[in-house]
Short mmCIF file of all heavy atoms in Angstrom, two decimals:
data_model
loop_
_atom_site.label_atom_id
_atom_site.label_comp_id
_atom_site.label_asym_id
_atom_site.label_seq_id
_atom_site.Cartn_x
_atom_site.Cartn_y
_atom_site.Cartn_z
N LEU A 40 24.10 50.99 -22.62
CA LEU A 40 25.13 50.28 -21.87
C LEU A 40 24.98 48.82 -22.28
O LEU A 40 23.98 48.17 -21.99
CB LEU A 40 24.92 50.47 -20.37
CG LEU A 40 26.07 50.03 -19.49
CD1 LEU A 40 27.36 50.79 -19.85
CD2 LEU A 40 25.74 50.25 -18.05
N ASN A 41 25.95 48.32 -23.01
CA ASN A 41 25.83 47.03 -23.67
C ASN A 41 26.20 45.85 -22.78
O ASN A 41 26.94 46.00 -21.81
CB ASN A 41 26.71 47.01 -24.93
CG ASN A 41 26.19 47.96 -25.97
OD1 ASN A 41 25.02 47.97 -26.28
ND2 ASN A 41 27.08 48.77 -26.52
N VAL A 42 25.73 44.69 -23.18
CA VAL A 42 26.09 43.45 -22.52
C VAL A 42 27.61 43.33 -22.56
O VAL A 42 28.24 43.59 -23.59
CB VAL A 42 25.40 42.25 -23.22
CG1 VAL A 42 25.95 40.93 -22.71
CG2 VAL A 42 23.89 42.33 -23.02
N GLY A 43 28.19 42.97 -21.43
CA GLY A 43 29.65 42.82 -21.32
C GLY A 43 30.34 44.04 -20.74
O GLY A 43 31.47 43.95 -20.27
N GLU A 44 29.65 45.20 -20.75
CA GLU A 44 30.24 46.41 -20.16
C GLU A 44 30.05 46.39 -18.65
O GLU A 44 29.10 45.80 -18.14
CB GLU A 44 29.59 47.66 -20.75
CG GLU A 44 29.94 47.90 -22.21
CD GLU A 44 29.40 49.22 -22.70
OE1 GLU A 44 29.98 50.27 -22.32
OE2 GLU A 44 28.40 49.22 -23.44
N MET A 45 30.95 47.07 -17.95
CA MET A 45 30.84 47.18 -16.49
C MET A 45 29.67 48.10 -16.14
O MET A 45 29.50 49.15 -16.75
CB MET A 45 32.12 47.75 -15.88
CG MET A 45 33.30 46.80 -15.91
SD MET A 45 33.02 45.24 -15.00
CE MET A 45 32.98 45.81 -13.32
N ALA A 46 28.91 47.67 -15.17
CA ALA A 46 27.80 48.51 -14.68
C ALA A 46 28.37 49.62 -13.81
O ALA A 46 29.34 49.41 -13.08
CB ALA A 46 26.83 47.66 -13.86
N LYS A 68 25.54 38.99 -5.39
CA LYS A 68 24.24 38.76 -6.02
C LYS A 68 24.20 39.28 -7.46
O LYS A 68 24.92 40.20 -7.83
CB LYS A 68 23.14 39.47 -5.23
CG LYS A 68 22.91 38.87 -3.85
CD LYS A 68 21.78 39.54 -3.14
CE LYS A 68 21.58 38.92 -1.75
NZ LYS A 68 20.59 39.66 -1.00
N VAL A 69 23.35 38.65 -8.23
CA VAL A 69 22.96 39.18 -9.53
C VAL A 69 22.05 40.36 -9.21
O VAL A 69 21.20 40.28 -8.32
CB VAL A 69 22.20 38.11 -10.35
CG1 VAL A 69 21.56 38.70 -11.58
CG2 VAL A 69 23.15 36.96 -10.71
N ILE A 70 22.21 41.47 -9.92
CA ILE A 70 21.42 42.67 -9.63
C ILE A 70 20.55 43.01 -10.83
O ILE A 70 21.03 43.09 -11.96
CB ILE A 70 22.34 43.87 -9.29
CG1 ILE A 70 23.25 43.51 -8.11
CG2 ILE A 70 21.51 45.11 -9.00
CD1 ILE A 70 24.36 44.52 -7.88
N PHE A 141 24.22 54.57 -16.82
CA PHE A 141 23.61 53.38 -17.41
C PHE A 141 23.13 53.65 -18.84
O PHE A 141 22.67 52.74 -19.51
CB PHE A 141 22.42 52.89 -16.57
CG PHE A 141 22.78 51.88 -15.52
CD1 PHE A 141 22.98 52.26 -14.21
CD2 PHE A 141 22.91 50.54 -15.85
CE1 PHE A 141 23.30 51.33 -13.23
CE2 PHE A 141 23.23 49.60 -14.89
CZ PHE A 141 23.43 50.00 -13.57
N VAL A 149 15.52 48.05 -18.20
CA VAL A 149 16.01 47.10 -17.20
C VAL A 149 17.36 46.55 -17.65
O VAL A 149 17.58 46.33 -18.83
CB VAL A 149 15.00 45.93 -17.02
CG1 VAL A 149 15.50 44.92 -16.01
CG2 VAL A 149 13.62 46.46 -16.62
N TRP A 150 18.24 46.34 -16.67
CA TRP A 150 19.52 45.68 -16.89
C TRP A 150 19.68 44.58 -15.86
O TRP A 150 19.23 44.72 -14.73
CB TRP A 150 20.70 46.65 -16.70
CG TRP A 150 20.68 47.84 -17.57
CD1 TRP A 150 21.31 48.00 -18.77
CD2 TRP A 150 19.99 49.08 -17.32
NE1 TRP A 150 21.05 49.25 -19.27
CE2 TRP A 150 20.25 49.93 -18.40
CE3 TRP A 150 19.18 49.54 -16.28
CZ2 TRP A 150 19.74 51.21 -18.48
CZ3 TRP A 150 18.66 50.81 -16.36
CH2 TRP A 150 18.95 51.64 -17.44
N VAL A 151 20.36 43.51 -16.25
CA VAL A 151 20.76 42.47 -15.31
C VAL A 151 22.28 42.55 -15.22
O VAL A 151 22.97 42.51 -16.25
CB VAL A 151 20.31 41.07 -15.78
CG1 VAL A 151 20.83 40.00 -14.83
CG2 VAL A 151 18.79 41.00 -15.88
N VAL A 152 22.77 42.69 -14.00
CA VAL A 152 24.20 42.82 -13.76
C VAL A 152 24.67 41.54 -13.07
O VAL A 152 24.11 41.13 -12.05
CB VAL A 152 24.50 44.04 -12.85
CG1 VAL A 152 25.99 44.18 -12.60
CG2 VAL A 152 23.90 45.31 -13.45
N GLY A 153 25.69 40.90 -13.65
CA GLY A 153 26.24 39.68 -13.07
C GLY A 153 27.04 39.96 -11.81
O GLY A 153 27.35 41.11 -11.49
N THR A 154 27.41 38.91 -11.13
CA THR A 154 28.18 39.05 -9.90
C THR A 154 29.57 39.63 -10.16
O THR A 154 30.22 40.12 -9.23
CB THR A 154 28.30 37.70 -9.16
OG1 THR A 154 28.88 36.73 -10.05
CG2 THR A 154 26.95 37.21 -8.68
N ASP A 155 30.02 39.60 -11.41
CA ASP A 155 31.30 40.20 -11.78
C ASP A 155 31.18 41.70 -12.07
O ASP A 155 32.15 42.36 -12.41
CB ASP A 155 31.92 39.48 -12.97
CG ASP A 155 31.05 39.55 -14.24
OD1 ASP A 155 29.92 40.11 -14.19
OD2 ASP A 155 31.49 39.02 -15.28
N GLY A 156 29.95 42.24 -11.96
CA GLY A 156 29.72 43.67 -12.19
C GLY A 156 29.47 44.05 -13.63
O GLY A 156 29.31 45.22 -13.95
N LYS A 157 29.40 43.05 -14.52
CA LYS A 157 29.17 43.33 -15.94
C LYS A 157 27.70 43.13 -16.31
O LYS A 157 27.02 42.26 -15.75
CB LYS A 157 30.05 42.42 -16.81
CG LYS A 157 31.53 42.74 -16.67
CD LYS A 157 32.35 41.86 -17.57
CE LYS A 157 33.84 42.21 -17.42
NZ LYS A 157 34.66 41.30 -18.23
N ILE A 158 27.27 43.92 -17.29
CA ILE A 158 25.90 43.79 -17.80
C ILE A 158 25.77 42.43 -18.49
O ILE A 158 26.57 42.09 -19.36
CB ILE A 158 25.56 44.92 -18.80
CG1 ILE A 158 25.75 46.30 -18.15
CG2 ILE A 158 24.16 44.74 -19.37
CD1 ILE A 158 24.81 46.61 -17.02
N VAL A 159 24.76 41.67 -18.08
CA VAL A 159 24.50 40.34 -18.64
C VAL A 159 23.30 40.40 -19.59
O VAL A 159 23.23 39.64 -20.55
CB VAL A 159 24.22 39.32 -17.51
CG1 VAL A 159 23.84 37.97 -18.05
CG2 VAL A 159 25.43 39.21 -16.59
N TRP A 160 22.37 41.32 -19.31
CA TRP A 160 21.12 41.42 -20.09
C TRP A 160 20.69 42.87 -20.07
O TRP A 160 20.83 43.56 -19.05
CB TRP A 160 20.06 40.54 -19.44
CG TRP A 160 18.77 40.42 -20.19
CD1 TRP A 160 18.42 39.40 -21.04
CD2 TRP A 160 17.63 41.29 -20.15
NE1 TRP A 160 17.15 39.61 -21.53
CE2 TRP A 160 16.64 40.76 -21.00
CE3 TRP A 160 17.36 42.48 -19.49
CZ2 TRP A 160 15.41 41.37 -21.20
CZ3 TRP A 160 16.13 43.09 -19.68
CH2 TRP A 160 15.17 42.53 -20.53
N ASN A 161 20.19 43.35 -21.21
CA ASN A 161 19.59 44.69 -21.27
C ASN A 161 18.37 44.63 -22.18
O ASN A 161 18.03 43.56 -22.69
CB ASN A 161 20.61 45.76 -21.72
CG ASN A 161 21.08 45.57 -23.14
OD1 ASN A 161 20.51 44.82 -23.93
ND2 ASN A 161 22.15 46.27 -23.50
N GLU A 162 17.73 45.74 -22.40
CA GLU A 162 16.50 45.77 -23.21
C GLU A 162 16.72 45.24 -24.62
O GLU A 162 15.83 44.64 -25.21
CB GLU A 162 15.92 47.18 -23.27
CG GLU A 162 15.34 47.66 -21.95
CD GLU A 162 14.11 46.89 -21.50
OE1 GLU A 162 13.28 46.51 -22.34
OE2 GLU A 162 13.98 46.68 -20.29
N ASP A 163 17.91 45.42 -25.17
CA ASP A 163 18.19 44.88 -26.49
C ASP A 163 18.24 43.36 -26.48
O ASP A 163 18.07 42.73 -27.52
CB ASP A 163 19.51 45.43 -27.04
CG ASP A 163 19.35 46.84 -27.58
OD1 ASP A 163 18.20 47.28 -27.81
OD2 ASP A 163 20.38 47.52 -27.78
N SER A 164 18.48 42.76 -25.33
CA SER A 164 18.52 41.30 -25.21
C SER A 164 17.14 40.68 -25.29
O SER A 164 17.00 39.48 -25.52
CB SER A 164 19.15 40.91 -23.86
OG SER A 164 20.41 41.49 -23.69
N ARG A 165 16.11 41.51 -25.07
CA ARG A 165 14.73 41.03 -24.99
C ARG A 165 14.31 40.23 -26.21
O ARG A 165 13.53 39.29 -26.12
CB ARG A 165 13.78 42.21 -24.78
CG ARG A 165 12.37 41.82 -24.45
CD ARG A 165 11.49 43.03 -24.18
NE ARG A 165 11.90 43.80 -23.03
CZ ARG A 165 11.54 43.54 -21.77
NH1 ARG A 165 10.79 42.51 -21.51
NH2 ARG A 165 11.95 44.31 -20.79
N GLU A 168 16.07 36.69 -25.52
CA GLU A 168 15.65 35.98 -24.32
C GLU A 168 14.90 36.92 -23.40
O GLU A 168 15.09 38.13 -23.44
CB GLU A 168 16.85 35.35 -23.60
CG GLU A 168 17.81 36.35 -23.01
CD GLU A 168 19.02 35.72 -22.33
OE1 GLU A 168 19.06 34.49 -22.13
OE2 GLU A 168 19.93 36.48 -21.97
N SER A 169 14.07 36.34 -22.56
CA SER A 169 13.28 37.14 -21.63
C SER A 169 14.15 37.61 -20.46
O SER A 169 15.26 37.11 -20.26
CB SER A 169 12.11 36.31 -21.08
OG SER A 169 12.61 35.27 -20.23
N LEU A 170 13.64 38.55 -19.70
CA LEU A 170 14.31 39.02 -18.50
C LEU A 170 14.59 37.84 -17.57
O LEU A 170 15.70 37.70 -17.04
CB LEU A 170 13.46 40.08 -17.80
CG LEU A 170 13.91 40.54 -16.41
CD1 LEU A 170 15.32 41.12 -16.45
CD2 LEU A 170 12.92 41.55 -15.85
N GLU A 171 13.60 36.97 -17.39
CA GLU A 171 13.76 35.81 -16.52
C GLU A 171 14.90 34.91 -17.00
O GLU A 171 15.71 34.44 -16.21
CB GLU A 171 12.46 35.00 -16.43
CG GLU A 171 11.33 35.73 -15.74
CD GLU A 171 10.44 36.52 -16.68
OE1 GLU A 171 10.92 37.01 -17.73
OE2 GLU A 171 9.24 36.65 -16.37
N GLU A 172 14.97 34.70 -18.31
CA GLU A 172 16.06 33.87 -18.86
C GLU A 172 17.41 34.55 -18.65
O GLU A 172 18.40 33.87 -18.35
CB GLU A 172 15.82 33.61 -20.35
CG GLU A 172 14.64 32.70 -20.61
CD GLU A 172 14.18 32.68 -22.07
OE1 GLU A 172 14.39 33.69 -22.79
OE2 GLU A 172 13.63 31.66 -22.49
N GLY A 173 17.45 35.87 -18.78
CA GLY A 173 18.68 36.61 -18.53
C GLY A 173 19.13 36.47 -17.09
O GLY A 173 20.33 36.30 -16.81
N ILE A 174 18.19 36.53 -16.16
CA ILE A 174 18.54 36.37 -14.73
C ILE A 174 19.04 34.94 -14.49
O ILE A 174 20.05 34.74 -13.80
CB ILE A 174 17.32 36.68 -13.84
CG1 ILE A 174 16.95 38.17 -13.96
CG2 ILE A 174 17.61 36.31 -12.38
CD1 ILE A 174 15.62 38.53 -13.30
N ARG A 175 18.36 33.95 -15.05
CA ARG A 175 18.79 32.55 -14.87
C ARG A 175 20.20 32.33 -15.41
O ARG A 175 21.04 31.67 -14.79
CB ARG A 175 17.81 31.60 -15.53
CG ARG A 175 16.54 31.40 -14.76
CD ARG A 175 15.67 30.28 -15.35
NE ARG A 175 14.30 30.44 -14.88
CZ ARG A 175 13.33 31.05 -15.56
NH1 ARG A 175 13.53 31.51 -16.77
NH2 ARG A 175 12.14 31.15 -15.04
N ARG A 176 20.48 32.92 -16.57
CA ARG A 176 21.80 32.78 -17.17
C ARG A 176 22.86 33.45 -16.27
O ARG A 176 23.94 32.89 -16.06
CB ARG A 176 21.81 33.41 -18.57
CG ARG A 176 23.08 33.16 -19.34
CD ARG A 176 22.94 33.48 -20.81
NE ARG A 176 22.29 34.74 -21.11
CZ ARG A 176 22.90 35.92 -21.08
NH1 ARG A 176 24.18 36.00 -20.77
NH2 ARG A 176 22.24 37.02 -21.39
N ALA A 177 22.54 34.61 -15.72
CA ALA A 177 23.47 35.30 -14.83
C ALA A 177 23.71 34.48 -13.56
O ALA A 177 24.84 34.41 -13.07
CB ALA A 177 22.93 36.68 -14.48
N LEU A 178 22.67 33.85 -13.04
CA LEU A 178 22.82 33.01 -11.85
C LEU A 178 23.72 31.80 -12.15
O LEU A 178 24.56 31.43 -11.34
CB LEU A 178 21.45 32.54 -11.34
CG LEU A 178 20.62 33.57 -10.60
CD1 LEU A 178 19.19 33.08 -10.41
CD2 LEU A 178 21.27 33.92 -9.25
N LYS A 179 23.57 31.20 -13.32
CA LYS A 179 24.40 30.05 -13.70
C LYS A 179 25.87 30.46 -13.82
O LYS A 179 26.75 29.72 -13.41
CB LYS A 179 23.93 29.43 -15.02
CG LYS A 179 22.67 28.60 -14.87
CD LYS A 179 22.26 28.01 -16.20
CE LYS A 179 20.91 27.32 -16.06
NZ LYS A 179 20.39 26.87 -17.35
N LYS A 180 26.10 31.66 -14.36
CA LYS A 180 27.48 32.15 -14.51
C LYS A 180 28.13 32.38 -13.14
O LYS A 180 29.34 32.27 -13.01
CB LYS A 180 27.50 33.47 -15.29
CG LYS A 180 27.40 33.31 -16.78
CD LYS A 180 27.39 34.65 -17.47
CE LYS A 180 28.74 35.31 -17.45
NZ LYS A 180 28.81 36.53 -18.27
N SER A 181 27.31 32.70 -12.14
CA SER A 181 27.87 33.02 -10.82
C SER A 181 28.16 31.77 -10.00
O SER A 181 28.84 31.85 -8.98
CB SER A 181 26.92 33.94 -10.04
OG SER A 181 25.75 33.24 -9.65
#
Side-chain angles (χ1 to χ4, degrees):
L40 192 59
N41 293 312
V42 170
E44 291 186 74
M45 289 300 291
K68 293 183 180 174
V69 169
I70 303 169
F141 269 98
V149 179
W150 302 265
V151 176
V152 181
T154 56
D155 61 357
K157 293 182 179 176
I158 302 295
V159 175
W160 186 97
N161 66 13
E162 290 294 323
D163 282 344
S164 305
R165 190 177 297 275
E168 67 182 351
S169 69
L170 171 59
E171 293 92 329
E172 291 167 333
I174 294 170
R175 284 189 199 96
R176 188 166 46 81
L178 284 168
K179 284 181 187 173
K180 280 178 73 173
S181 70

